[in-house]
Amino acid sequence: MNRNPIISPLLIIALTLLLTSVGCAQRVEFQVTDHTLNRIDPRLFGHFMEIASWGEPGPDAIADPETGELPNEIIEKLDLLNAPLVRFPGGGDIPYTDWTHRIDRAPPRGLPARPVVTPQDNPASQPLNNRFGYDEFFRLSEQLGWEPMLVVNLYDGVLGGVDLETAARHAAGQVAYCNTPLGQQLPQGMIDWPAIRAANGRHEPYRVKHWQIGNEIFVFLRRFFATDPSRAEIDAMGDRIADAVVVYADAMRAVDPDIRIILDHGMRDKDMARRVWSDPRVAQRVDRLTVHHYQPWRIRTLSTDGGATEVEAEDVGLIRLWYSWVTMPSFYDSEGQTLAIQPEKIAEIQKAGYGVVLTEWNWNGWGKGTEIDVPLCFLGRGLGAAGYLHGMMRQGGDIDFATQSMMLGVSWQLSGVFMDLETGKSWIHPTALATSLYSRNHGDRRLETRAVSEIPQVTQDLHVNKIRMQPSLALIDSVVTRDDENLYIHVINRSFDVALEVVWRLDGLVLRRGSAVLRRMVANEEPLAETDAAQILDDDVVVDHEDRFGDVVPARSVTVYVLPLEAD
């Protein structure tokens, strides 16, 4: 492991550019008013507990073989995430799985053990033991205060060879198992799922409100598009999907009319997707469309000169790699501050009459450059995730809620809480640590905040894959929120090595002088493993002035200042 920048001619040129861009340490100033720009829903800081047969069994690999329960050490770390909302259990396997495999006593199986199944017919798919099922998930949700969200299998009713009415009734059966009280009348011919739930030890319904019909529909359409369908065939497939969504939604709401339904916004072909969710029948039944966003995925190429010259990571050096890592996500507003979803995509969804949710997101990447300094890369991922969070808070008036992938794992670096099965040690990766920091420290509304001085910029000429990188990256990114008692200043310092003084001047807000608190994510000085790269430190700060606050923000850090407000 090499923690020192790799010197090369390209790096010397890069350092010259960077030093020219950043200059010496300078004061950055923001003006903050008490004008509310949008709400901050705590559900923006949700998580997605996925179980993926193609490489990440997650809780299935950790759960007790007899009880299905997770170890206390893992539960304690999950609790630290402070997740308000958790999506479960998939994911890419949902089109190829039967929800009854994750409960006991499902007919016709009855009491025998839950089946071990391999959901997908591809070489990467491994058997799932279904050890951590729905009842185990719901018990954990109640213990930790999570609002659950589930996903149902749409593939069966579209391309899976199951009669549409039968597939929809099976999905509605899952709603009945979760939500219907014992003894309540069910649709004709439906299995008495509440009685099975009671036999499994739960008499009261779980009352799951949010249900997604299908997951990443574009995935199960791959084989269809591999046949090079005509435009007419694509349109017909869109109509087929719309028909299925209508039948599913009606069947599910016949069991529980109060559920809220979510559908994919993207479906591989943009015109086909619009055909589905612009169908008035779908619009009448579906409440929200979801966007999924990951970056940078597998890093195959690094390039400069606007993408014209491919370079090797060893010739680039750590500093330029660092700035490529913290640039994610690659959506920015006119002032160079991060956004979570492209504004035009939000506008399209809202124009169609739907709410917007982000049910899968994260800094997700591997490949070229990420292995040169693993701890530094993981810390950079954490700052990138904080950029996503700033974007969500900026767009909090448009995004209803979000769930970060993946909450718990034993294999993928994407995981939030990670357990090493060989050593038995566990830790929280920086991406989830950033979300935990913000989930525990934020207000309920975002305040108008604007820079009144130049924000130091760094030239970003290293392109990752074909992602359109921000050419000039703001080193300081700040969002300010408040509630009735405190002002919360959220600030990212993306600089590789320069601490920056930042001052926030207040208009219409009065700070209480005296002691306040800062909570900061920085590099972990005593890591359990290379990827255990960040820690959160608490410290006291002193508020000297009623109308402003300032501090020197360290390089490579994410900070929240919790500053008490004087009563109105």
Side-chain angles (χ1 to χ4, degrees):
M1 180 176 67
N2 182 3
R3 287 186 170 276
N4 297 311
I6 301 167
I7 301 299
S8 70
L10 278 175
L11 180 57
I12 294 171
I13 296 171
L15 284 170
T16 303
L17 288 171
L18 291 171
L19 291 172
T20 301
S21 303
V22 176
C24 60
Q26 65 187 80
R27 173 184 287 190
V28 181
E29 293 194 5
F30 292 93
Q31 184 76 32
V32 182
T33 75
D34 198 22
H35 174 61
T36 297
L37 296 179
N38 56 261
R39 75 187 191 281
I40 301 294
D41 192 314
R43 296 177 302 171
L44 290 175
F45 310 107
H47 284 265
F48 174 28
M49 184 180 282
E50 181 174 9
I51 298 169
S53 68
W54 64 99
E56 184 49 89
D60 271 355
I62 303 172
D64 185 281
E66 299 297 325
T67 67
E69 305 297 332
L70 299 178
N72 288 333
E73 175 189 348
I74 296 298
I75 293 174
E76 289 170 1
K77 288 183 171 60
L78 292 172
D79 192 27
L80 288 174
L81 299 184
N82 197 47
L85 173 74
V86 178
R87 184 175 182 246
F88 180 79
D93 280 331
I94 285 292
Y96 315 107
T97 53
D98 184 336
W99 70 269
T100 65
H101 292 167
R102 289 197 176 273
I103 66 169
D104 296 326
R105 295 178 172 82
R109 190 179 76 245
L111 280 175
R114 296 174 191 174
V116 175
V117 295
T118 304
Q120 303 190 41
D121 59 350
N122 71 61
S125 187
Q126 300 297 314
L128 296 177
N129 59 39
N130 293 304
R131 187 177 295 159
F132 187 80
Y134 287 102
D135 289 288
E136 291 82 7
F137 169 70
F138 290 135
R139 286 196 292 270
L140 186 59
S141 296
E142 291 181 341
Q143 179 182 347
L144 299 184
W146 303 341
E147 180 182 3
M149 172 188 168
L150 301 184
V151 188
V152 300
N153 179 339
L154 179 64
Y155 172 78
D156 279 354
V158 177
L159 290 173
V162 179
D163 171 75
L164 176 55
E165 298 288 343
T166 301
R169 186 184 307 114
H170 195 55
Q174 187 173 3
V175 179
Y177 184 86
C178 296
N179 289 7
T180 303
L182 275 171
Q184 181 171 306
Q185 185 174 355
L186 295 169
Q188 186 175 2
M190 179 173 284
I191 293 168
D192 191 351
W193 292 110
I196 295 172
R197 182 189 69 229
N200 288 337
R202 175 72 180 207
H203 290 261
E204 296 299 316
Y206 292 114
R207 304 289 185 190
V208 180
K209 182 178 181 180
H210 301 290
W211 295 79
Q212 185 171 336
I213 296 179
N215 174 79
E216 294 186 346
I217 293 170
F218 67 86
V219 174
F220 75 63
L221 289 176
R222 283 175 179 167
R223 291 182 181 177
F224 167 73
F225 279 100
T227 65
D228 193 22
S230 66
R231 184 72 252 172
E233 290 172 322
I234 294 172
D235 289 345
M237 177 57 71
D239 293 339
R240 186 173 180 178
I241 293 171
D243 290 342
V245 170
V246 169
V247 174
Y248 269 65
D250 287 349
M252 293 165 70
R253 284 216 171 100
V255 173
D256 185 350
D258 296 326
I259 63 172
R260 298 291 179 264
I261 293 177
I262 300 165
L263 184 66
D264 284 347
H265 169 260
M267 300 181 191
R268 194 176 182 92
D269 182 274
K270 291 182 178 180
D271 290 333
M272 188 195 76
R274 292 188 185 101
R275 189 179 185 92
V276 173
W277 42 255
S278 65
D279 187 313
R281 302 171 303 155
V282 173
Q284 187 179 20
R285 291 164 172 81
V286 173
D287 301 283
R288 297 180 174 95
L289 298 184
T290 183
V291 175
H292 291 179
H293 189 256
Y294 298 104
Q295 278 189 334
W297 286 102
R298 181 177 181 180
I299 301 174
R300 298 178 183 274
T301 61
L302 297 171
S303 59
T304 58
D305 304 323
T309 304
E310 190 166 335
V311 295
E312 294 302 320
E314 291 76 8
D315 296 325
V316 170
L318 285 179
I319 296 177
R320 296 183 80 192
L321 286 170
W322 168 264
Y323 286 118
S324 73
W325 298 331
V326 300
T327 300
M328 311 296 168
S330 60
F331 309 136
Y332 291 82
D333 64 16
S334 59
E335 296 180 357
Q337 305 290 287
T338 54
L339 301 174
I341 302 176
Q342 303 98 313
E344 59 271 20
K345 188 171 289 188
I346 288 176
E348 180 179 56
I349 293 171
Q350 292 177 334
K351 185 177 179 181
Y354 297 96
V356 181
V357 292
L358 184 62
T359 57
E360 291 189 31
W361 73 271
N362 209 344
W363 199 111
N364 181 19
W366 63 98
K368 276 197 171 182
T370 60
E371 74 290 343
I372 287 179
D373 189 317
V374 173
L376 188 68
C377 179
F378 268 77
L379 182 61
R381 294 165 186 254
L383 269 69
Y388 271 102
L389 295 166
H390 279 208
M392 289 179 214
M393 290 193 288
R394 289 191 175 98
Q395 297 175 301
D398 299 312
I399 303 173
D400 293 337
F401 56 77
T403 50
Q404 182 184 27
S405 306
M406 297 174 54
M407 191 177 200
L408 175 61
V410 298
S411 176
W412 288 352
Q413 297 177 345
L414 176 65
S415 306
V417 175
F418 186 87
M419 184 172 188
D420 185 326
L421 294 179
E422 291 186 4
T423 65
K425 296 178 180 179
S426 62
W427 56 89
I428 301 176
H429 279 147
T431 48
L433 206 59
T435 306
S436 170
L437 173 64
Y438 278 31
S439 180
R440 292 181 176 277
N441 302 278
H442 67 86
D444 55 22
R445 58 243 194 223
R446 180 172 72 98
L447 301 183
E448 181 181 42
T449 304
R450 63 183 181 88
V452 293
S453 69
E454 284 193 20
I455 298 178
Q457 308 279 320
V458 64
T459 301
Q460 171 57 284
D461 187 38
L462 181 63
H463 288 254
V464 176
N465 295 332
K466 295 182 179 181
I467 298 171
R468 183 178 297 176
M469 307 293 278
Q470 184 76 356
S472 184
L473 178 66
L475 294 183
I476 292 291
D477 189 316
S478 183
V479 172
V480 180
T481 65
R482 68 160 295 180
D483 54 27
D484 292 340
E485 297 179 354
N486 297 307
L487 190 72
Y488 301 85
I489 296 176
H490 315 259
V491 58
I492 306 168
N493 184 355
R494 299 185 176 107
S495 174
F496 185 82
D497 54 6
V498 178
L500 292 166
E501 182 183 4
V502 187
V503 175
W504 293 265
R505 299 189 179 277
L506 310 181
D507 182 5
L509 296 155
V510 180
L511 296 178
R512 184 184 306 156
R513 296 191 186 202
S515 180
V517 174
L518 74 79
R519 297 187 171 99
R520 176 170 286 148
M521 187 177 82
V522 293
N524 193 352
E525 298 300 326
E526 298 181 1
L528 294 173
E530 283 192 308
T531 64
D532 180 24
Q535 60 183 331
I536 293 178
L537 302 178
D538 291 5
D539 203 355
D540 294 330
V541 291
V542 176
V543 178
D544 292 323
H545 304 279
E546 295 178 344
D547 62 348
R548 65 186 182 277
F549 176 79
D551 195 19
V552 176
V553 183
R556 299 184 231 170
S557 67
V558 181
T559 305
V560 182
Y561 298 96
V562 184
L563 310 177
L565 291 166
E566 290 287 2
D568 294 335

